[in-house]
Amino acid sequence: AVSSRAGILCDLFCLLAMYAKAILLVVALGAIAAVAQDLPANWAGTFTANNRYGGQMYSCPRGNTLYGVYSNAGFFIGAITGRTVEGNWYEGGRGDRNDWQGSFRITLSDDNQEFDGFYYRVTEDGQERRWHEKRLGAPWPSNPTAEECLIPGDENLLGAFFRQPHDSVAAGSYSLCKDEWSQIYGSFSDPDGYIEGWSVDSATGFHGYRYDNTGRSGAYILRALDQNTVKGFYWRGRLARQNIETVQSETLNRSSFTAKLMDCERVGPGFLERLRGPDGDDNSSASALAVSAIAFVVAAIALF
């Protein structure tokens, strides 16, 4: 009888111990969840870019504005409201400008480890595309530099420049001009070639295409980081995940704040009516960031 009572007591104590552990676990999980919910939103960091073209995405908040670059193929600007950002994105490409720009709306998770939302391409008339990325840890930077995020300075990217040589990229000169329809056109040397595309954000940004006389061409983006430096990326061919290994960085150092039209149009067809967008509108005003992700409106550009 004694041993039976001892067994019952043992079972009772074991059961109580199990309940105690379960309660402690629930309390601990609740505390962790509460801490996670109390974390301030942290948009700074490096994220995957799986829903774009692969590689990584750098994200840099500055006040209530978020700047960033994804896949070395496009850059974005957004207005931060707590854990949600709404804004516009721009990619390198040719043809219809509205194939290469649009809007987005993304929301950061409570633990700051991922974001989820949608982006929209202007020509797709409101079709939602999922944009869900996860934060990358070391060795990726937790606080990328202004250069990695291509945060623009106060000066535009128009004028004359010298291209810094690196790897297989030779030194060369650039002349960049903008017309009244917010086209940007420019010629460069070594090898001879030209770029054509569109102005963004008061001409501190460019998205378009690059051609040279060796027969190579590809998507191209540029951003003026300060009054002396322009940086960007050049893809060989169109933007596609399988082409990401071809991307190379570009660094241009200013030699003059002005460029003659004859120097800008030295190579290639020059400014063309087919690239004209809305009269005098380079989609650069601050109001562009206030447009909702669904209602991003840019006039259609006929390119034939």
Side-chain angles (χ1 to χ4, degrees):
V2 172
S3 62
S4 176
R5 286 196 295 271
I8 292 172
L9 289 173
C10 180
D11 289 343
L12 182 60
F13 281 122
C14 288
L15 186 60
L16 289 173
M18 289 175 60
Y19 277 125
K21 289 180 179 178
I23 292 171
L24 288 173
L25 180 60
V26 169
V27 171
L29 290 175
I32 292 172
V35 170
Q37 289 177 354
D38 289 341
L39 286 174
N42 179 17
W43 281 102
T46 307
F47 294 82
T48 59
N50 295 328
N51 286 154
R52 303 310 287 239
Y53 303 101
Q56 71 284 338
M57 182 190 101
Y58 294 121
S59 177
C60 296
R62 293 294 186 271
N64 293 324
T65 302
L66 186 67
Y67 298 94
V69 176
Y70 56 85
S71 305
N72 292 339
F75 55 89
F76 60 88
I77 318 164
I80 302 172
T81 306
R83 293 191 173 276
T84 298
V85 175
E86 292 186 68
N88 303 328
W89 57 267
Y90 307 89
E91 296 176 347
R94 62 182 173 185
D96 188 335
R97 176 180 188 172
N98 288 331
D99 283 335
W100 309 109
Q101 63 183 9
S103 59
F104 68 90
R105 188 180 193 275
I106 53 178
T107 299
L108 192 65
S109 63
D110 288 339
D111 62 3
N112 293 325
Q113 295 305 302
E114 59 186 307
F115 67 80
D116 201 357
F118 297 93
Y119 69 95
Y120 309 80
R121 200 176 297 274
V122 175
T123 51
E124 293 179 343
D125 195 25
Q127 177 182 339
E128 293 182 341
R129 290 177 176 265
R130 181 86 177 274
W131 198 2
H132 176 214
E133 308 294 354
K134 296 183 178 181
R135 187 180 295 275
L136 295 172
W140 300 105
S142 60
N143 191 22
T145 65
E147 180 175 316
E148 288 171 323
C149 287
L150 294 185
I151 297 178
D154 296 328
E155 190 61 51
N156 62 44
L157 49 68
L158 308 175
F161 297 85
F162 175 79
R163 181 178 60 219
Q164 286 188 5
H166 66 89
D167 300 330
S168 60
V169 179
S173 61
Y174 266 71
S175 297
L176 303 177
C177 296
K178 173 177 171 287
D179 72 3
E180 61 184 297
W181 291 278
S182 295
Q183 296 181 79
I184 289 180
Y185 189 94
S187 296
F188 55 86
S189 64
D190 300 316
D192 278 355
Y194 66 94
I195 68 169
E196 61 178 2
W198 308 278
S199 166
V200 172
D201 205 11
S202 301
T204 61
F206 165 89
H207 66 125
Y209 226 68
R210 178 188 189 274
Y211 307 82
D212 67 41
N213 64 8
T214 68
R216 292 175 175 173
S217 63
Y220 202 59
I221 58 172
L222 293 172
R223 207 65 154 126
L225 304 186
D226 55 48
Q227 65 176 2
N228 296 316
T229 309
V230 172
K231 291 189 71 71
F233 296 96
Y234 164 47
W235 284 54
R236 299 283 178 83
R238 66 185 179 90
L239 296 182
R241 187 177 294 269
Q242 63 266 29
N243 288 340
I244 194 170
E245 297 301 325
T246 71
V247 68
Q248 65 186 37
S249 63
E250 292 268 88
T251 301
L252 311 180
N253 296 122
R254 188 182 297 277
S255 56
S256 173
F257 286 94
T258 59
K260 295 179 179 179
L261 180 61
M262 62 179 294
D263 292 331
C264 291
E265 296 187 315
R266 181 179 64 84
V267 182
F271 284 105
L272 299 174
E273 287 190 13
R274 68 183 179 84
L275 286 180
R276 291 181 181 175
D279 290 349
D281 179 11
D282 67 356
N283 300 293
S284 63
S285 68
S287 63
L289 294 179
V291 178
S292 73
I294 297 176
F296 181 99
V297 177
V298 179
I301 304 167
L303 300 171
F304 298 101

